[in-house]
Amino acid sequence: MKSSLAEESRLSELEAKAISEATVSVDESFTPSPALLNAPSAEALFQQVDGPSLESYEAKESVYVGKSVPISGRCNLEVPIHVTAPGSIVEYAVDSKGYDIKFSVEAEREEGITVVKELSRVDA
């Protein structure tokens, strides 16, 4: 029990670290265009950096659902989720009936691939 809690804690720390590193990488690589830098108002730059204003934001979910997706032993299933809006939240749930699986989450960006959730075993 203790080792399971310690492993969960370690995985949570690794996940938080990966998210933090991805955020820093994105922040460091941001270069505003000359048009934004020369704009008469900073509003365009703020919108580029912060994303759309949340004051009038209406949540519109984009949902991918896969049920009873057959995956052969030792094979991979990749589900690409295209995220375009800054600050987007991607939620996921995985359920396996009858077999243990390994599961990970990776963010593919122009700078490369960032591991958001390390490959770990999920018991059926």
Side-chain angles (χ1 to χ4, degrees), residues 4-34:
S4 175
L5 291 175
E7 180 66 14
E8 283 184 35
S9 175
R10 186 181 79 76
L11 290 175
S12 292
E13 288 174 11
L14 288 172
E15 186 174 349
K17 181 180 176 188
I19 291 169
S20 175
E21 288 174 357
T23 301
V24 168
S25 173
V26 168
D27 289 348
E28 288 176 347
S29 67
F30 176 73
T31 305
S33 69

mmCIF file of all heavy atoms in Angstrom, residues 4-34:
data_model
loop_
_atom_site.group_PDB
_atom_site.id
_atom_site.type_symbol
_atom_site.label_atom_id
_atom_site.label_comp_id
_atom_site.label_asym_id
_atom_site.label_seq_id
_atom_site.Cartn_x
_atom_site.Cartn_y
_atom_site.Cartn_z
ATOM 1 N N SER A 4 2.519 1.773 -3.327
ATOM 2 C CA SER A 4 1.559 2.241 -4.318
ATOM 3 C C SER A 4 1.317 3.741 -4.166
ATOM 4 O O SER A 4 1.273 4.467 -5.151
ATOM 5 C CB SER A 4 0.248 1.478 -4.177
ATOM 6 O OG SER A 4 -0.709 1.997 -5.060
ATOM 7 N N LEU A 5 1.173 4.202 -2.927
ATOM 8 C CA LEU A 5 0.975 5.629 -2.684
ATOM 9 C C LEU A 5 2.217 6.422 -3.062
ATOM 10 O O LEU A 5 2.124 7.511 -3.633
ATOM 11 C CB LEU A 5 0.613 5.885 -1.225
ATOM 12 C CG LEU A 5 -0.762 5.395 -0.781
ATOM 13 C CD1 LEU A 5 -0.942 5.602 0.713
ATOM 14 C CD2 LEU A 5 -1.855 6.114 -1.548
ATOM 15 N N ALA A 6 3.376 5.875 -2.749
ATOM 16 C CA ALA A 6 4.627 6.544 -3.103
ATOM 17 C C ALA A 6 4.767 6.624 -4.624
ATOM 18 O O ALA A 6 5.204 7.648 -5.159
ATOM 19 C CB ALA A 6 5.816 5.807 -2.497
ATOM 20 N N GLU A 7 4.393 5.557 -5.317
ATOM 21 C CA GLU A 7 4.473 5.532 -6.786
ATOM 22 C C GLU A 7 3.494 6.543 -7.383
ATOM 23 O O GLU A 7 3.837 7.275 -8.307
ATOM 24 C CB GLU A 7 4.172 4.125 -7.307
ATOM 25 C CG GLU A 7 4.241 3.996 -8.805
ATOM 26 C CD GLU A 7 5.620 4.191 -9.400
ATOM 27 O OE1 GLU A 7 6.619 4.176 -8.654
ATOM 28 O OE2 GLU A 7 5.705 4.385 -10.614
ATOM 29 N N GLU A 8 2.271 6.614 -6.837
ATOM 30 C CA GLU A 8 1.290 7.587 -7.320
ATOM 31 C C GLU A 8 1.801 9.010 -7.100
ATOM 32 O O GLU A 8 1.653 9.864 -7.964
ATOM 33 C CB GLU A 8 -0.044 7.398 -6.618
ATOM 34 C CG GLU A 8 -0.854 6.231 -7.134
ATOM 35 C CD GLU A 8 -2.220 6.139 -6.460
ATOM 36 O OE1 GLU A 8 -2.807 7.191 -6.142
ATOM 37 O OE2 GLU A 8 -2.676 5.002 -6.259
ATOM 38 N N SER A 9 2.394 9.240 -5.942
ATOM 39 C CA SER A 9 2.934 10.559 -5.639
ATOM 40 C C SER A 9 4.063 10.914 -6.604
ATOM 41 O O SER A 9 4.130 12.027 -7.123
ATOM 42 C CB SER A 9 3.442 10.594 -4.197
ATOM 43 O OG SER A 9 4.060 11.824 -3.932
ATOM 44 N N ARG A 10 4.928 9.939 -6.864
ATOM 45 C CA ARG A 10 6.044 10.157 -7.787
ATOM 46 C C ARG A 10 5.529 10.459 -9.194
ATOM 47 O O ARG A 10 6.006 11.375 -9.864
ATOM 48 C CB ARG A 10 6.959 8.934 -7.820
ATOM 49 C CG ARG A 10 8.224 9.140 -8.642
ATOM 50 C CD ARG A 10 9.094 7.889 -8.659
ATOM 51 N NE ARG A 10 8.630 6.893 -9.584
ATOM 52 C CZ ARG A 10 8.791 6.945 -10.915
ATOM 53 N NH1 ARG A 10 9.398 7.971 -11.454
ATOM 54 N NH2 ARG A 10 8.361 5.978 -11.698
ATOM 55 N N LEU A 11 4.512 9.697 -9.627
ATOM 56 C CA LEU A 11 3.949 9.920 -10.954
ATOM 57 C C LEU A 11 3.269 11.283 -11.046
ATOM 58 O O LEU A 11 3.380 11.970 -12.066
ATOM 59 C CB LEU A 11 2.967 8.804 -11.312
ATOM 60 C CG LEU A 11 3.596 7.439 -11.578
ATOM 61 C CD1 LEU A 11 2.520 6.384 -11.807
ATOM 62 C CD2 LEU A 11 4.542 7.495 -12.765
ATOM 63 N N SER A 12 2.590 11.688 -9.982
ATOM 64 C CA SER A 12 1.960 13.015 -9.961
ATOM 65 C C SER A 12 3.005 14.113 -10.058
ATOM 66 O O SER A 12 2.820 15.103 -10.760
ATOM 67 C CB SER A 12 1.134 13.203 -8.689
ATOM 68 O OG SER A 12 0.019 12.358 -8.705
ATOM 69 N N GLU A 13 4.119 13.935 -9.352
ATOM 70 C CA GLU A 13 5.201 14.912 -9.401
ATOM 71 C C GLU A 13 5.808 14.969 -10.792
ATOM 72 O O GLU A 13 6.096 16.051 -11.312
ATOM 73 C CB GLU A 13 6.278 14.572 -8.369
ATOM 74 C CG GLU A 13 5.848 14.841 -6.943
ATOM 75 C CD GLU A 13 6.882 14.361 -5.927
ATOM 76 O OE1 GLU A 13 8.022 14.018 -6.319
ATOM 77 O OE2 GLU A 13 6.550 14.330 -4.731
ATOM 78 N N LEU A 14 6.004 13.802 -11.425
ATOM 79 C CA LEU A 14 6.557 13.768 -12.779
ATOM 80 C C LEU A 14 5.605 14.431 -13.777
ATOM 81 O O LEU A 14 6.034 15.159 -14.670
ATOM 82 C CB LEU A 14 6.840 12.326 -13.213
ATOM 83 C CG LEU A 14 8.028 11.651 -12.544
ATOM 84 C CD1 LEU A 14 8.078 10.173 -12.916
ATOM 85 C CD2 LEU A 14 9.328 12.338 -12.928
ATOM 86 N N GLU A 15 4.317 14.183 -13.607
ATOM 87 C CA GLU A 15 3.322 14.795 -14.485
ATOM 88 C C GLU A 15 3.327 16.307 -14.329
ATOM 89 O O GLU A 15 3.325 17.049 -15.309
ATOM 90 C CB GLU A 15 1.944 14.218 -14.165
ATOM 91 C CG GLU A 15 0.851 14.667 -15.103
ATOM 92 C CD GLU A 15 -0.468 13.963 -14.830
ATOM 93 O OE1 GLU A 15 -0.512 12.987 -14.056
ATOM 94 O OE2 GLU A 15 -1.469 14.411 -15.401
ATOM 95 N N ALA A 16 3.360 16.792 -13.088
ATOM 96 C CA ALA A 16 3.405 18.236 -12.824
ATOM 97 C C ALA A 16 4.679 18.846 -13.406
ATOM 98 O O ALA A 16 4.647 19.938 -13.989
ATOM 99 C CB ALA A 16 3.309 18.505 -11.327
ATOM 100 N N LYS A 17 5.790 18.128 -13.281
ATOM 101 C CA LYS A 17 7.054 18.618 -13.825
ATOM 102 C C LYS A 17 6.985 18.713 -15.346
ATOM 103 O O LYS A 17 7.440 19.685 -15.936
ATOM 104 C CB LYS A 17 8.197 17.692 -13.403
ATOM 105 C CG LYS A 17 9.548 18.138 -13.908
ATOM 106 C CD LYS A 17 10.647 17.196 -13.477
ATOM 107 C CE LYS A 17 11.967 17.625 -14.077
ATOM 108 N NZ LYS A 17 13.027 16.663 -13.846
ATOM 109 N N ALA A 18 6.405 17.692 -15.999
ATOM 110 C CA ALA A 18 6.288 17.698 -17.459
ATOM 111 C C ALA A 18 5.424 18.864 -17.932
ATOM 112 O O ALA A 18 5.758 19.543 -18.903
ATOM 113 C CB ALA A 18 5.710 16.365 -17.953
ATOM 114 N N ILE A 19 4.336 19.124 -17.221
ATOM 115 C CA ILE A 19 3.462 20.234 -17.584
ATOM 116 C C ILE A 19 4.190 21.557 -17.398
ATOM 117 O O ILE A 19 4.126 22.444 -18.247
ATOM 118 C CB ILE A 19 2.149 20.190 -16.766
ATOM 119 C CG1 ILE A 19 1.311 18.982 -17.197
ATOM 120 C CG2 ILE A 19 1.362 21.485 -16.919
ATOM 121 C CD1 ILE A 19 0.135 18.693 -16.302
ATOM 122 N N SER A 20 4.920 21.672 -16.298
ATOM 123 C CA SER A 20 5.679 22.892 -16.033
ATOM 124 C C SER A 20 6.742 23.122 -17.100
ATOM 125 O O SER A 20 6.900 24.237 -17.604
ATOM 126 C CB SER A 20 6.324 22.808 -14.647
ATOM 127 O OG SER A 20 7.144 23.921 -14.423
ATOM 128 N N GLU A 21 7.457 22.065 -17.467
ATOM 129 C CA GLU A 21 8.495 22.188 -18.493
ATOM 130 C C GLU A 21 7.893 22.546 -19.847
ATOM 131 O O GLU A 21 8.459 23.342 -20.602
ATOM 132 C CB GLU A 21 9.296 20.893 -18.596
ATOM 133 C CG GLU A 21 10.214 20.667 -17.420
ATOM 134 C CD GLU A 21 10.910 19.313 -17.442
ATOM 135 O OE1 GLU A 21 10.630 18.502 -18.352
ATOM 136 O OE2 GLU A 21 11.732 19.068 -16.546
ATOM 137 N N ALA A 22 6.738 21.972 -20.163
ATOM 138 C CA ALA A 22 6.072 22.290 -21.425
ATOM 139 C C ALA A 22 5.649 23.755 -21.445
ATOM 140 O O ALA A 22 5.809 24.446 -22.459
ATOM 141 C CB ALA A 22 4.864 21.385 -21.633
ATOM 142 N N THR A 23 5.148 24.250 -20.320
ATOM 143 C CA THR A 23 4.724 25.645 -20.225
ATOM 144 C C THR A 23 5.914 26.579 -20.405
ATOM 145 O O THR A 23 5.848 27.553 -21.161
ATOM 146 C CB THR A 23 4.043 25.913 -18.864
ATOM 147 O OG1 THR A 23 2.921 25.040 -18.740
ATOM 148 C CG2 THR A 23 3.584 27.351 -18.746
ATOM 149 N N VAL A 24 7.013 26.272 -19.738
ATOM 150 C CA VAL A 24 8.219 27.101 -19.851
ATOM 151 C C VAL A 24 8.726 27.093 -21.286
ATOM 152 O O VAL A 24 9.081 28.130 -21.845
ATOM 153 C CB VAL A 24 9.318 26.614 -18.876
ATOM 154 C CG1 VAL A 24 10.655 27.253 -19.191
ATOM 155 C CG2 VAL A 24 8.912 26.904 -17.439
ATOM 156 N N SER A 25 8.727 25.921 -21.915
ATOM 157 C CA SER A 25 9.203 25.799 -23.292
ATOM 158 C C SER A 25 8.370 26.645 -24.241
ATOM 159 O O SER A 25 8.895 27.351 -25.097
ATOM 160 C CB SER A 25 9.158 24.330 -23.718
ATOM 161 O OG SER A 25 9.467 24.204 -25.080
ATOM 162 N N VAL A 26 7.048 26.602 -24.069
ATOM 163 C CA VAL A 26 6.163 27.392 -24.924
ATOM 164 C C VAL A 26 6.388 28.880 -24.677
ATOM 165 O O VAL A 26 6.478 29.673 -25.615
ATOM 166 C CB VAL A 26 4.686 27.012 -24.674
ATOM 167 C CG1 VAL A 26 3.744 28.006 -25.312
ATOM 168 C CG2 VAL A 26 4.411 25.618 -25.200
ATOM 169 N N ASP A 27 6.482 29.266 -23.407
ATOM 170 C CA ASP A 27 6.699 30.672 -23.080
ATOM 171 C C ASP A 27 8.009 31.187 -23.668
ATOM 172 O O ASP A 27 8.064 32.294 -24.204
ATOM 173 C CB ASP A 27 6.693 30.887 -21.565
ATOM 174 C CG ASP A 27 5.303 30.744 -20.958
ATOM 175 O OD1 ASP A 27 4.321 30.714 -21.720
ATOM 176 O OD2 ASP A 27 5.213 30.639 -19.719
ATOM 177 N N GLU A 28 9.073 30.380 -23.573
ATOM 178 C CA GLU A 28 10.379 30.798 -24.072
ATOM 179 C C GLU A 28 10.411 30.897 -25.592
ATOM 180 O O GLU A 28 11.147 31.704 -26.155
ATOM 181 C CB GLU A 28 11.463 29.825 -23.596
ATOM 182 C CG GLU A 28 11.771 29.940 -22.123
ATOM 183 C CD GLU A 28 12.772 28.902 -21.648
ATOM 184 O OE1 GLU A 28 13.055 27.935 -22.388
ATOM 185 O OE2 GLU A 28 13.269 29.065 -20.520
ATOM 186 N N SER A 29 9.618 30.068 -26.270
ATOM 187 C CA SER A 29 9.675 30.049 -27.726
ATOM 188 C C SER A 29 8.741 31.066 -28.380
ATOM 189 O O SER A 29 8.767 31.249 -29.584
ATOM 190 C CB SER A 29 9.347 28.650 -28.247
ATOM 191 O OG SER A 29 7.998 28.332 -27.984
ATOM 192 N N PHE A 30 7.912 31.754 -27.580
ATOM 193 C CA PHE A 30 6.966 32.713 -28.152
ATOM 194 C C PHE A 30 7.696 33.940 -28.669
ATOM 195 O O PHE A 30 8.463 34.577 -27.954
ATOM 196 C CB PHE A 30 5.911 33.130 -27.120
ATOM 197 C CG PHE A 30 4.975 34.183 -27.655
ATOM 198 C CD1 PHE A 30 4.017 33.849 -28.592
ATOM 199 C CD2 PHE A 30 5.075 35.494 -27.232
ATOM 200 C CE1 PHE A 30 3.158 34.810 -29.088
ATOM 201 C CE2 PHE A 30 4.222 36.466 -27.725
ATOM 202 C CZ PHE A 30 3.268 36.125 -28.659
ATOM 203 N N THR A 31 7.471 34.267 -29.933
ATOM 204 C CA THR A 31 8.004 35.477 -30.539
ATOM 205 C C THR A 31 6.865 36.178 -31.258
ATOM 206 O O THR A 31 6.347 35.655 -32.244
ATOM 207 C CB THR A 31 9.118 35.141 -31.558
ATOM 208 O OG1 THR A 31 10.115 34.363 -30.914
ATOM 209 C CG2 THR A 31 9.730 36.393 -32.126
ATOM 210 N N PRO A 32 6.444 37.334 -30.752
ATOM 211 C CA PRO A 32 5.349 38.029 -31.415
ATOM 212 C C PRO A 32 5.780 38.540 -32.790
ATOM 213 O O PRO A 32 6.948 38.860 -33.012
ATOM 214 C CB PRO A 32 5.023 39.185 -30.474
ATOM 215 C CG PRO A 32 6.182 39.327 -29.579
ATOM 216 C CD PRO A 32 6.921 38.031 -29.575
ATOM 217 N N SER A 33 4.833 38.600 -33.694
ATOM 218 C CA SER A 33 5.123 39.075 -35.052
ATOM 219 C C SER A 33 5.387 40.585 -35.018
ATOM 220 O O SER A 33 4.933 41.286 -34.109
ATOM 221 C CB SER A 33 3.943 38.772 -35.970
ATOM 222 O OG SER A 33 2.841 39.588 -35.619
ATOM 223 N N PRO A 34 6.104 41.085 -36.017
ATOM 224 C CA PRO A 34 6.333 42.538 -36.087
ATOM 225 C C PRO A 34 5.019 43.328 -36.121
ATOM 226 O O PRO A 34 4.932 44.410 -35.561
ATOM 227 C CB PRO A 34 7.122 42.712 -37.383
ATOM 228 C CG PRO A 34 7.821 41.396 -37.567
ATOM 229 C CD PRO A 34 6.860 40.369 -37.039
#
